[in-house]
Amino acid sequence: MGRSTAVIGTFIALWAGLVVQGQCHTPFFIFGDSLLDAGNNQYFNSGTPKSSLPYGETFFKRPSGRSCDGRIVADFLAEYANLPLIRPYLEPGFSNYSDGANFASAGAGILPETNPRMIHLKMQLSYFEEVQKKLKQQEGEQKAQELLSKAVYLFSMGGNDYMNVGMPKFGNTMPPVVLTASYKKQYVTIVLSNLTSVVKKVYAMGGRKFIFQTVGPLGCMPVSRYMFIYILFTVMFFNAVETLGFKEGRTACCGSGNFNGQFTCGKNGTAYNLCSDPSQYVWFDAAHPTESANKHLTSLFWSGPLKVVWPYNAKALFQMP
């Protein structure tokens, strides 16, 4: 099971304090890209298109702003933690942050230049700084700091930064640019340095419990298969797909072209394929998992063994004082 999670990502939990029995109220703050965006891009004035069906059809029965047919990992984690679904920070009228806030933005990168039109990580940090100020106004200095210290902070970002380097633009089937080993190392260092800088600032503001989702299997996404037409899935992954009950791990449920790897899902005036049962698929569209895949992944993050999540699972973090 632990080996199979290399395909869909793993969480690393960094913690401080002692694990205690029982569940207490723990706010949940979310930083990330399309894997965690619960609707911010719908309200962000960037000219991005609003989501449309079939996105959201499995659970919400309407477009929810999520790049999924239903719920995402952040939604399932909130449910496990006895919290309501964490609302996107930019949702009109949203001002009660005692349960947390979601700052994630589809298409965003850790580096601002990865996609300047979206809410990059440093801008998400600025939104969190606004939340801190508002919490102090609403709850008072001491109570606000207690909430921030109890809170769990989820980060899932970096995929867009790495996809944008040496890769052709989506829809262009030319081979990727060959990058030198030294350049790759330097670029990774820059990305990680920028991520670390933001995490340190959240820590300085009171954050103590952090969850990191590793970058997913970029070469295994349907969009990568569509662009490069080669196979990166391993036999181990095929075995995992069957073991976990999925019938299709290569082709997306919704899209067009080879492996449904084109981002045409839900686009008005564009023809696309749509499967009859997304729960049988790992991928919903060219780059995003189905609700079913997210649900399984979250169950591992919540109570998985050390070989899956390290050094503690998400349940332990949410139960810490």
Side-chain angles (χ1 to χ4, degrees), residues 27-31 40 86-89 94 96-104 128 131:
F28 188 23
F29 294 101
I30 299 153
F31 302 78
N40 279 309
I86 305 302
R87 297 167 65 180
Y89 175 71
F94 177 36
N96 183 354
Y97 308 115
S98 59
D99 290 325
N102 187 322
F103 310 108
F128 176 66
V131 166

Side-chain angles (χ1 to χ4, degrees), residues 5 14 25 35 58 104 137 172 176 187 201 211 230 256 259 264 271 279 285:
T5 57
L14 302 181
H25 178 78
L35 294 178
T58 297
Q137 294 171 356
N172 184 349
Y187 187 78
K201 288 179 180 178
I211 300 175
Y230 56 67
S256 59
F259 306 104
T264 54
S279 69
D285 69 7

Side-chain angles (χ1 to χ4, degrees), residues 153 235 304:
Y153 300 84
V235 174

Side-chain angles (χ1 to χ4, degrees), residues 98-240:
S98 59
D99 290 325
N102 187 322
F103 310 108
S105 169
I110 292 174
L111 305 180
E113 56 268 26
T114 292
N115 197 340
R117 298 184 303 115
M118 302 310 176
I119 311 169
H120 53 76
L121 184 57
K122 289 184 179 178
M123 188 179 295
Q124 293 182 31
L125 174 65
S126 70
Y127 289 162
F128 176 66
E129 290 171 340
E130 292 177 7
V131 166
Q132 182 197 41
K133 293 177 183 178
K134 292 175 182 177
L135 274 175
K136 289 181 179 180
Q137 294 171 356
Q138 296 168 357
E139 306 287 347
E141 183 93 20
Q142 182 176 347
K143 180 65 180 298
Q145 284 306 123
E146 287 177 359
L147 286 173
L148 295 177
S149 295
K150 286 182 179 179
V152 169
Y153 300 84
L154 170 62
F155 288 80
S156 177
M157 224 166 184
N160 292 318
D161 299 283
Y162 295 126
M163 283 294 289
N164 282 6
V165 176
M167 296 288 188
K169 298 299 181 182
F170 291 148
N172 184 349
T173 56
M174 294 297 290
V177 176
V178 177
L179 302 175
T180 64
S182 61
Y183 181 84
K184 291 179 183 178
K185 183 176 181 180
Q186 180 183 16
Y187 187 78
V188 169
T189 300
I190 293 172
V191 170
L192 291 178
S193 175
N194 277 264
L195 173 61
T196 301
S197 174
V198 170
V199 172
K200 286 182 176 179
K201 288 179 180 178
V202 174
Y203 182 91
M205 295 166 67
R208 291 297 181 269
K209 297 183 285 187
F210 297 89
I211 300 175
F212 298 95
Q213 181 176 355
T214 62
V215 174
L218 302 181
C220 298
M221 298 187 302
V223 65
S224 299
R225 293 171 172 276
Y226 165 75
M227 289 193 297
F228 310 135
I229 319 301
Y230 56 67
I231 306 302
L232 292 180
F233 272 72
T234 64
V235 174
M236 182 172 59
F237 177 69
F238 282 122
N239 291 338

Side-chain angles (χ1 to χ4, degrees), residues 27-75:
F28 188 23
F29 294 101
I30 299 153
F31 302 78
D33 50 30
S34 58
L35 294 178
L36 296 181
D37 186 357
N40 279 309
N41 276 20
Q42 293 193 118
Y43 310 113
F44 187 56
N45 186 22
S46 62
T48 56
K50 308 301 182 185
S51 66
S52 58
L53 290 173
Y55 289 100
E57 66 175 6
T58 297
F59 180 78
F60 299 98
K61 309 303 180 185
R62 60 174 175 78
S64 69
R66 294 162 173 79
S67 298
C68 183
D69 60 304
R71 289 163 290 184
I72 54 179
V73 166
D75 296 326

